[in-house]
Amino acid sequence: MSDLNKHLLYAINDSTAENIVVIGNVRISIITDKLFRVEVSKSGEFHDLPTQKILHRNFANPEYEVAENAKNITIKTKFAQVNINKKGDFLSVVLSDGRNVKNAKSGNLKGTCRTLDGTIGAVKLEDGVISKDGVAILDDSNSLVYNKEGELCVKPYENRDYYIFAYGYNYREAIVDFYKLSGETPLIPKYVLGNWWSRYRAYSDKEYLNVMDNFIKRNIPITVATVDMDWHLVHGIDKKYRTGNIYPWESTGWTGYTWNEKLFPDYKGFLKELHDRNLKVTLNLHPARGVRGFESMYKEMAEAMGVDPRTETPIDFDLTNHKFVNNYFDILHHPYEKDGVDFWWIDWQQGKSSQITGLDPLYALNHYHTLDSCKDNKRGIILSRYAGIGSHRYPLGFSGDTNTTWSCLKFQPYFTATATNCGYSWWSHDIGGHHFGYKNDELYCRWIQFGVFSPILRLHSTQNDIMGKEPWNYSSITESITTDYLRLRHSLIPFLYTMNMRTHKHGIGLIEPMYYDNPKDIRAYKCKNCYLFGGSLVVAPITEKTDNYTLTAPAQVFLPKGRWTDIFTGKVYDGDNLFIVNRDIKFMPVFAKEGSIIPLACNNGNSTDNPSTMNILVYSGNGEFNLYEDDGISYNYKKGEFVERKFSVAEQQNELVFEINPCIGDLKLAFDRKFIINFKDILNYKSVQVKLNDKVIDLQPKNNSVEFEVTIKPTDKLQIVLLDYSRITNGTLNENIVRIFSKYQYKNTAKTIVYNKFKNVQTKTQLQKALSSIGGHKRLKAQLCELLYMQFND
């Protein structure tokens, strides 16, 4: 057994399930009352080893009944009746709501795909584990297994092996159980939740540091510095070291492990300079060509592999060779990690076949790199492409090189949310687009806005001199807007990190499709680019161009029942509606549900330390937020070294009560903290009562606003009660009509004629009649239609 594979033994804790039915050559495991394994054996032998997709099968003890006749087998639980024939073929599932599902593929809500490389828009997605029809199938027949030594190998029996997810509309429960089955998503380090900068370009050390200093000078917080493949020797490689290309577009210099001393004469000093700027560092890898004779570590690698270094025989890349795997890390990677490389970006070019039939080298790379990075009490992390079901155990995902076009941006929100259907919740895109396409400030701005409300925000672009994604490469207006959004992303880290723990502990993704909370509402399925973010927010990224007349762009939004406030514009909407919103370039539609509490860091610079000052955004209603904090990088949280603090808001007749409760957990991690409490949707109130540990104190709002500032201890309890409060409104109908027409870019006389039809509108019926009278002016009409939802909740 290789040393590295010892790390996998934590996963080999599966045991034979108690709830097993064997009839002929068919074995059925009743894992839960909604989840079933069907294994069909030619030889009559079955296996219970972990596979690439499935690690644990014994986590429930449901009650069930079995019936059979000459041809078929029926398994019945309190939730589902599963019918298969005695050949092991799926026939149907009858759900407790009466649905009889005979086709387990037709309603599949899809999952994700390997890569978006070179795409120009929508692509075909693989199936996920949830279905609109209520039943999905996960086929595990072709997976490799892990033997008792933790090594990947071919299955001992060529069995058909599949799982029936019969969860009906219980989508979130299906995903939670999928994580139990396939393994949890790791708690990722906190620093990856900030802003990343990357570019495929042959920077020198001074040029690269100058870019970082430009971010610092402009107060744009970057937490991860990515150095693409030109950190190592790429050009000038002697012909004798060249071999045939794996891909026609591939350069033989893409694989390399030797620092380019012309660009980085003191690479250790360079890495130290990046760390001195409080940056984490990742380097790009294309490992397909192994280790060739020109590499600085070739002699050591050759001797370790039993090759005479004088022959300069290439050391083949072979992750099925355990000796190579250990030397690959010990000789090629660990020394650089000691020098300051924090994690690795595993890029393309290793193909899809290996020395073990069925082993995708991408899966092996992700698996071994993640395991290897989990050492010295440090949480592992990689950046790599998706390698199939089970890849959620190896975050983060790199979605590949997309074109810089509106069609590519338009697909990514749907793509990101839908990936949750197969448990893949940490996608990272080339924000702004990678190559080709066209330069467009608006497209860049909208992509950044989406990036703020996506799992990982990583700026990236190709080596073209004029395609850099730094904000200062755009107009001053675009630079100002995108800079504010990048700062917002950094301030969201406490919120995102709490969601990170929620994903790890409870199996709930940061981003979810709208139908997770509204599975029976057809409108939730129609609104494909709208998604849940952190549970309490609804995000609808704008992926279309701005209209030249209204200076706004549209996005389709589905808001479930309740009161929703746009966190940027302050506009209020009643839910239970599917409609179009319109926003100018400064704003994107993000809606906070009533009772939402959003903690923001107020740190200066790019620090990801637990902040000394926090801005708490509070939206009236009933809700709570349990802030989670630890050291952000180690496994000490598993030993109880973490702290939580609950924030809550509640409406009690004419009172709005907000509370900050005492910290619980390891109080050594807590400290006195300043809180700026901002009641975002409260217009005014008659009086306020503030208690600290049940003792009334005098705390006045800042600048006659509804914002309070207070410093409290970890053990303190703070309560703020607003008496006889009133919420913000959208203003009068006439005010909004005037605002819309005033901004409309059109001939004044002509638009005045149209405006006069709306001038005296006061009721819903009058507004609808006036709208029906407009012939053209499509985008103007769309803006006025939005007033139906803002003013009349229609």
Side-chain angles (χ1 to χ4, degrees):
M1 177 177 63
S2 69
D3 294 337
L4 184 62
N5 280 329
K6 293 178 182 177
H7 293 289
L8 182 68
L9 293 181
Y10 75 92
I12 313 298
N13 62 0
D14 192 53
S15 59
T16 303
E18 297 177 6
N19 301 303
I20 288 180
V21 175
V22 179
I23 298 176
N25 283 356
V26 178
R27 184 174 75 160
I28 306 167
S29 301
I30 300 89
I31 300 173
T32 76
D33 62 358
K34 304 177 185 70
L35 178 59
F36 309 83
R37 181 193 189 194
V38 179
E39 192 179 5
V40 185
S41 171
K42 295 179 181 179
S43 64
E45 300 288 342
F46 303 98
H47 86 88
D48 290 294
L49 291 170
T51 72
Q52 292 172 288
K53 296 177 182 178
I54 308 300
L55 297 184
H56 316 289
R57 304 182 184 92
N58 188 16
F59 54 81
N61 189 29
E63 296 181 357
Y64 65 94
E65 298 175 0
V66 183
E68 64 173 304
N69 57 33
K71 294 182 178 180
N72 300 330
I73 304 168
T74 297
I75 305 292
K76 187 175 182 180
T77 69
K78 66 179 181 181
F79 190 82
Q81 177 181 302
V82 176
N83 303 300
I84 63 173
N85 64 29
K86 288 194 172 179
K87 295 179 181 180
D89 301 322
F90 172 86
L91 297 178
S92 68
V93 171
V94 180
L95 298 168
S96 59
D97 61 12
R99 285 184 288 172
N100 187 357
V101 182
K102 297 181 179 180
N103 186 332
K105 289 186 69 69
S106 62
N108 196 285
L109 288 164
K110 299 302 176 181
T112 192
C113 67
R114 188 180 183 97
T115 181
L116 296 180
D117 267 307
T119 57
I120 57 173
V123 299
K124 185 178 180 179
L125 302 180
E126 299 171 8
D127 283 352
V129 299
I130 64 173
S131 169
K132 191 175 179 181
D133 293 338
V135 180
I137 286 181
L138 170 59
D139 194 337
D140 198 32
S141 302
N142 297 322
S143 285
L144 301 179
V145 298
Y146 290 104
N147 62 25
K148 293 180 179 179
E149 285 72 41
E151 299 168 339
L152 278 167
C153 55
V154 176
K155 282 184 176 180
Y157 316 110
E158 293 185 8
N159 293 353
R160 189 147 54 100
D161 193 357
Y162 65 93
Y163 294 78
I164 301 171
F165 284 73
Y167 283 79
Y169 289 124
N170 301 296
Y171 297 152
R172 194 173 284 117
E173 182 184 354
I175 300 302
V176 169
D177 282 353
F178 166 75
Y179 282 131
K180 292 178 184 177
L181 188 72
S182 186
E184 65 191 16
T185 297
L187 185 68
I188 60 177
K190 187 188 290 186
Y191 62 81
V192 303
L193 299 172
N195 299 307
W196 299 34
W197 183 83
S198 175
R199 190 175 181 188
Y200 173 29
R201 181 179 172 87
Y203 280 105
S204 70
D205 52 2
K206 290 182 174 57
E207 290 172 329
Y208 195 101
L209 292 171
N210 182 60
V211 174
M212 296 298 100
D213 289 339
N214 268 317
F215 278 110
I216 294 171
K217 181 174 67 176
R218 290 169 167 82
N219 192 25
I220 303 174
I222 300 293
T223 60
V224 178
T226 305
V227 187
D228 213 314
M229 65 181 175
D230 288 286
W231 66 271
H232 62 72
L233 296 177
V234 173
H235 303 290
I237 298 172
D238 193 279
K239 289 184 179 180
K240 67 180 178 180
Y241 300 120
R242 298 177 183 272
T243 55
N245 290 356
I246 296 175
Y247 294 99
W249 61 83
E250 181 200 356
S251 163
T252 55
W254 283 2
T255 296
Y257 302 97
T258 305
W259 279 86
N260 185 337
E261 294 185 355
K262 290 183 179 179
L263 298 177
F264 303 93
D266 177 14
Y267 78 83
K268 294 181 183 180
F270 169 69
L271 294 174
K272 182 180 183 301
E273 288 278 2
L274 291 175
H275 284 142
D276 288 345
R277 290 162 172 78
N278 199 33
L279 293 160
K280 298 295 184 181
V281 185
T282 181
L283 303 184
N284 176 284
L285 293 174
H286 291 86
R289 297 190 176 280
V291 186
R292 289 164 287 175
F294 65 87
E295 301 281 13
S296 61
M297 66 290 293
Y298 173 78
K299 183 175 184 295
E300 183 180 1
M301 190 71 177
E303 291 175 345
M305 293 299 296
V307 174
D308 184 350
R310 292 173 297 181
T311 66
E312 294 194 342
T313 301
I315 309 300
D316 291 336
F317 170 77
D318 183 5
L319 291 181
T320 68
N321 182 330
H322 298 143
K323 180 187 288 188
F324 175 82
V325 170
N326 285 321
N327 291 325
Y328 171 81
F329 289 105
D330 291 342
I331 296 172
L332 303 182
H333 296 86
H334 292 168
Y336 287 154
E337 291 169 15
K338 292 178 181 177
D339 294 335
V341 177
D342 294 290
F343 65 102
W344 299 93
W345 170 14
I346 308 162
D347 214 333
W348 210 217
Q349 282 72 60
Q350 68 280 339
K352 291 187 177 182
S353 61
S354 68
Q355 298 300 314
I356 295 179
T357 302
L359 177 59
D360 182 346
L362 176 61
Y363 177 91
L365 276 166
N366 293 350
H367 174 72
Y368 287 128
H369 265 280
T370 299
L371 292 179
D372 183 69
S373 64
C374 300
K375 57 182 181 294
D376 302 324
N377 196 34
K378 184 182 73 171
R379 289 178 222 163
I381 199 75
I382 60 170
L383 182 65
S384 185
R385 286 170 175 79
Y386 175 78
I389 294 287
S391 292
H392 64 276
R393 301 191 299 267
Y394 315 121
L396 305 160
F398 163 51
S399 67
D401 303 337
T402 51
N403 284 8
T404 309
T405 61
W406 284 99
S407 59
C408 284
L409 170 60
K410 189 171 186 176
F411 182 61
Q412 285 189 0
Y414 166 75
F415 174 81
T416 308
T418 304
T420 305
N421 295 342
C422 64
Y424 203 67
S425 58
W426 290 115
W427 265 125
S428 164
H429 307 301
D430 286 1
I431 296 300
H434 179 73
H435 52 194
F436 305 127
Y438 40 81
K439 178 65 172 278
N440 183 282
D441 278 34
E442 182 185 5
L443 174 60
Y444 171 73
C445 189
R446 294 305 191 190
W447 223 318
I448 292 282
Q449 290 171 349
F450 163 62
V452 170
F453 293 93
S454 68
I456 302 296
L457 195 160
R458 179 177 50 83
L459 301 173
H460 187 60
S461 61
T462 192
Q463 57 189 333
N464 189 310
D465 286 347
I466 56 176
M467 289 183 64
K469 294 301 188 295
E470 303 89 338
W472 54 88
N473 286 331
Y474 296 80
S475 70
S476 58
I477 294 174
T478 302
E479 178 183 1
S480 175
I481 294 171
T482 55
T483 293
D484 285 343
Y485 273 94
L486 291 170
R487 291 171 184 160
L488 172 61
R489 172 67 185 205
H490 193 80
S491 72
L492 278 166
I493 288 177
F495 176 88
L496 296 168
Y497 194 66
T498 298
M499 296 303 109
N500 176 25
M501 173 51 81
R502 187 182 72 158
T503 299
H504 171 64
K505 186 176 180 180
H506 300 294
I508 301 175
L510 170 66
I511 289 179
E512 297 174 315
M514 292 303 300
Y515 46 76
Y516 273 43
D517 275 347
N518 308 273
K520 297 182 181 180
D521 194 324
I522 189 64
R523 296 171 297 178
Y525 299 87
K526 289 182 177 179
C527 201
K528 292 186 176 182
N529 265 15
C530 188
Y531 52 82
L532 300 166
F533 187 82
S536 61
L537 300 178
V538 167
V539 178
I542 288 178
T543 60
E544 296 187 32
K545 298 177 183 179
T546 290
D547 176 67
N548 291 331
Y549 296 102
T550 65
L551 302 183
T552 65
Q556 188 181 46
V557 177
F558 171 65
L559 293 180
K561 291 180 180 180
R563 186 174 189 269
W564 299 83
T565 304
D566 187 312
I567 69 170
F568 293 112
T569 67
K571 298 299 182 184
V572 180
Y573 301 79
D574 270 12
D576 198 19
N577 278 307
L578 175 69
F579 57 102
I580 302 295
V581 296
N582 304 272
R583 298 291 184 267
D584 67 29
I585 191 62
K586 187 177 180 180
F587 301 118
M588 71 174 295
V590 179
F591 303 89
K593 187 178 181 179
E594 55 188 338
S596 293
I597 299 171
I598 306 172
L600 302 176
C602 296
N603 281 350
N604 292 323
N606 66 344
S607 173
T608 58
D609 293 341
N610 297 331
S612 58
T613 302
M614 297 189 78
N615 186 10
I616 310 297
L617 309 185
V618 182
Y619 293 86
S620 61
N622 297 287
E624 62 183 41
F625 187 92
N626 290 292
L627 179 70
Y628 173 86
E629 295 177 302
D630 58 25
D631 65 16
I633 198 167
S634 80
Y635 286 106
N636 290 344
Y637 70 91
K638 292 188 174 183
K639 299 185 293 185
E641 295 184 17
F642 63 87
V643 65
E644 294 179 292
R645 193 163 207 168
K646 186 171 78 172
F647 306 86
S648 66
V649 61
E651 293 179 326
Q652 300 175 3
Q653 296 180 347
N654 65 335
E655 297 178 353
L656 185 66
V657 181
F658 172 75
E659 291 183 345
I660 301 178
N661 289 277
C663 294
I664 59 173
D666 188 349
L667 296 186
K668 294 193 297 294
L669 296 175
F671 46 82
D672 294 0
R673 175 175 278 162
K674 179 190 291 186
F675 290 102
I676 302 169
I677 301 138
N678 194 333
F679 293 91
K680 292 295 292 183
D681 66 338
I682 299 300
L683 180 63
N684 53 49
Y685 55 91
K686 287 187 177 179
S687 62
V688 60
Q689 183 183 78
V690 181
K691 291 183 179 180
L692 183 63
N693 300 323
D694 296 325
K695 182 179 179 180
V696 176
I697 63 172
D698 182 27
L699 184 65
Q700 298 301 317
K702 295 173 59 180
N703 304 320
N704 296 317
S705 65
V706 195
E707 183 177 296
F708 299 83
E709 186 175 303
V710 61
T711 299
I712 61 176
K713 294 180 171 60
T715 55
D716 285 340
K717 178 178 180 179
L718 179 76
Q719 182 185 78
I720 300 176
V721 181
L722 304 182
L723 301 171
D724 293 325
Y725 64 95
S726 61
R727 297 187 179 99
I728 60 173
T729 67
N730 293 326
T732 68
L733 179 60
N734 182 256
E735 288 172 342
N736 283 293
I737 290 173
V738 169
R739 172 181 56 82
I740 290 170
F741 275 95
S742 295
K743 294 181 178 181
Y744 191 47
Q745 309 289 296
Y746 206 70
K747 296 177 181 179
N748 287 325
T749 301
K751 77 172 183 177
T752 299
I753 294 172
V754 180
Y755 166 70
N756 286 336
K757 298 179 181 181
F758 292 84
K759 188 173 183 180
N760 298 314
V761 165
Q762 295 181 354
T763 67
K764 171 183 168 183
T765 302
Q766 289 173 338
L767 178 57
Q768 290 173 323
K769 183 178 180 180
L771 284 167
S772 66
S773 70
I774 299 181
H777 307 281
K778 180 179 178 181
R779 284 287 181 86
L780 173 64
K781 187 174 182 178
Q783 279 193 295
L784 293 165
C785 280
E786 189 177 341
L787 295 181
L788 287 170
Y789 304 99
M790 290 172 52
Q791 305 294 142
F792 302 110
N793 307 321
D794 191 350

